[in-house]
Amino acid sequence: MADPLDDGELAGDGDFLASFGETLLQTLDLGRWAHGLDLEDIMRTFREQIGGAMRKEDVLRAAVRQELLPLLKTGPHAPKGAGVYHATEAQLRAVHDGYLFRGNVEAVNGRAVSHDTLALGITQLGIAAVGYGGSSGTFSQRLFRKEVTFQMDDPFKQAREYIEQREVRSRKAPRNKDSLSRLATRGIRTYAERAILAERLQAEWRIGMGNPLAYELITGSGYRTLLDASLEMLANLIDRQQKFVFVTDKLEHRGFLTLGHSLDTGEYAILETLESYGQEILEGWRYDDEGLAKASRFVQRYCPQVVMGLYRASNNSPPRLFYAHQEHVHFAVRIAMADSILRPEQGYPMLLDVASMTCHSVFGEDGFQGLVQDAYAQADPSLQYLNVRKMRR
């Protein structure tokens, strides 16, 4: 998956002007920058910009609702049952009473924190599974990347090789940790969240975050072992589990989210299967021949079984993208909506937030860094290998 710092949306001066309403040269002109912090002027500008943007969105929302929503049933990628539906209060109340509050729904969320120095890199992965009956468990893994691993038979030659190796790594990824750290924080965590959801929980229904067929799993993040394990695990999730719903909290698929803003409270839309999404991955990722064959078979068989949709739990909250098995999509979205209306101002499943808070409490950065610093102090009282200063982001 592309790094979030690599913004592919802006591709030239013309795009900058269209996006920000001024040329890049104007933005770089320090004579146009404000001196100091004038809160009154800042708030006036914010009110003008936000108010103008919201009024334009309201006009767009009315047009989308009237003209485009009715076309979802006949779109080029419309799956069986595509269109707009309404979940009634009675249906959502039945989900509360019969599933959520009886502990028949559990959610999984994960967290990754890292510590990186010249001597050692440590990544802690934590996953929490929760339901309204209480926590179903926490799971953790810690990875230690030691760069100096060999016996120094030729100290001069090997020291020189390590200096060159570290410099090359730094130049290839100046804004990120290296690919192994990205694998740990993205690929392995994403895999573990879905594997625990599919294989370790007992509840009839499970809630996850993001796209169940995540990009880093369908590609293996460049690692065949992760690719093989991911495709097997996801096949089990779709074939055997089926009763799942995944919800995203990011501004992904902004075009679809624009459709979602035209929904009213309690409405949901079924958009399309993940067939085109899977094909885009196959066409854009560099697999070896065997990996491409495995990924292609998976995409062909399983992507048509997972549908993407939108729901809106409240007019006071943003729309949410969801993913579910095509055979259970209507009940799946009711599970997500019923959990989301518990906090109508958020419109997001509360169980996912509870799982996130559990991860923060058990596997949070403060506790992790405290343990690391204590261990460094015991191993090296001078702390020369501990980088305690947080870098600017």
Side-chain angles (χ1 to χ4, degrees):
M1 180 174 285
D3 190 276
L5 292 175
D6 296 332
D7 193 344
E9 295 182 358
L10 302 177
D13 288 358
D15 285 341
F16 190 94
L17 174 61
S19 296
F20 295 104
E22 63 182 31
T23 67
L24 182 54
L25 184 61
Q26 289 175 311
T27 301
L28 297 176
D29 180 5
L30 295 182
R32 301 177 68 247
W33 288 45
H35 293 274
L37 192 64
D38 186 342
L39 293 180
E40 183 176 345
D41 184 63
I42 291 172
M43 288 305 300
R44 178 186 58 78
T45 303
F46 279 8
R47 285 193 298 267
E48 290 176 356
Q49 293 292 334
I50 292 173
M54 294 304 99
R55 286 189 292 272
K56 291 179 182 178
E57 287 294 328
D58 287 341
V59 174
L60 178 61
R61 179 181 188 274
V64 169
R65 184 168 183 84
Q66 182 176 353
E67 303 293 339
L68 296 183
L69 285 186
L71 301 179
L72 291 179
K73 294 181 179 180
T74 57
H77 302 292
K80 179 181 67 176
V84 178
Y85 301 85
H86 184 267
T88 67
E89 290 185 19
Q91 289 172 330
L92 299 181
R93 194 180 311 115
V95 173
H96 284 147
D97 297 339
Y99 288 86
L100 281 170
F101 299 147
R102 287 181 178 269
N104 291 329
V105 182
E106 292 177 324
V108 167
N109 210 334
R111 183 179 179 86
V113 292
S114 295
H115 165 82
D116 200 28
T117 67
L118 280 175
L120 180 68
I122 307 173
T123 297
Q124 176 178 269
L125 305 169
I127 312 292
V130 302
Y132 286 114
S135 174
S136 299
T138 56
F139 308 83
S140 63
Q141 175 68 283
R142 290 160 192 86
L143 304 175
F144 300 87
R145 193 195 67 227
K146 300 177 288 291
E147 294 195 354
V148 180
T149 58
F150 49 69
Q151 298 295 324
M152 291 200 176
D153 300 325
D154 185 345
F156 174 77
K157 177 177 179 294
Q158 292 164 339
R160 181 173 179 174
E161 288 176 353
Y162 263 95
I163 291 172
E164 292 175 352
Q165 173 185 318
R166 287 172 171 175
E167 186 62 20
V168 168
R169 178 180 294 163
S170 298
R171 292 187 180 188
K172 284 184 177 179
R175 293 172 299 177
N176 305 293
K177 298 184 174 132
D178 61 43
S179 60
L180 292 176
S181 294
R182 292 200 301 277
L183 168 72
T185 57
R186 293 180 181 176
I188 297 176
R189 182 185 64 183
T190 303
Y191 170 86
E193 287 176 350
R194 285 146 182 76
I196 289 168
L197 183 145
E199 301 168 6
R200 295 297 183 93
L201 303 190
Q202 301 300 317
E204 181 180 355
W205 279 89
R206 293 99 190 265
I207 302 179
M209 187 172 73
N211 186 334
L213 308 186
Y215 181 95
E216 50 265 52
L217 301 186
I218 305 302
T219 63
S221 299
Y223 293 80
R224 274 296 304 280
T225 299
L226 180 60
L227 176 66
D228 293 345
S230 296
L231 297 185
E232 180 180 356
M233 178 271 296
L234 292 173
N236 177 48
L237 174 68
I238 297 171
D239 273 341
R240 297 178 56 189
Q241 174 54 35
Q242 295 193 358
K243 294 184 178 181
F244 59 81
V245 58
F246 282 71
V247 181
T248 182
D249 64 345
K250 292 181 170 53
L251 284 175
E252 299 173 342
H253 299 287
R254 295 187 181 210
F256 288 149
L257 288 176
T258 303
L259 289 174
H261 267 287
S262 67
L263 297 174
D264 282 335
T265 296
E267 288 185 335
Y268 62 94
I270 298 174
L271 301 174
E272 62 181 44
T273 70
L274 295 188
E275 289 178 83
S276 59
Y277 162 80
Q279 287 300 321
E280 289 176 5
I281 294 178
L282 295 178
E283 293 168 6
W285 184 261
R286 294 181 180 177
Y287 296 90
D288 59 33
D289 291 342
E290 186 178 355
L292 177 60
K294 288 185 175 183
S296 298
R297 288 194 297 269
F298 178 90
V299 166
Q300 183 177 12
R301 177 174 176 180
Y302 292 105
C303 283
Q305 298 184 50
V306 180
V307 296
M308 176 172 61
L310 294 154
Y311 72 85
R312 196 157 192 193
S314 165
N315 281 339
N316 295 323
S317 62
R320 301 294 181 184
L321 277 169
F322 75 90
Y323 303 84
H325 194 286
Q326 189 165 34
E327 295 299 317
H328 304 279
V329 59
H330 292 284
F331 201 84
V333 68
R334 291 174 200 163
I335 292 282
M337 291 179 70
D339 200 25
S340 298
I341 63 174
L342 296 176
R343 290 188 304 170
E345 75 284 357
Q346 296 288 334
Y348 184 73
M350 182 179 283
L351 276 176
L352 283 177
D353 277 342
V354 173
S356 178
M357 288 186 288
T358 302
C359 278
H360 180 78
S361 175
V362 178
F363 305 114
E365 175 136 5
D366 289 344
F368 168 73
Q369 296 294 352
L371 292 173
V372 169
Q373 291 182 26
D374 183 63
Y376 268 96
Q378 294 185 42
D380 173 29
S382 72
L383 299 181
Q384 62 176 313
Y385 291 106
L386 175 61
N387 179 17
V388 295
R389 180 177 179 269
K390 289 191 175 182
M391 301 301 291
R392 184 178 71 173
R393 294 182 181 273

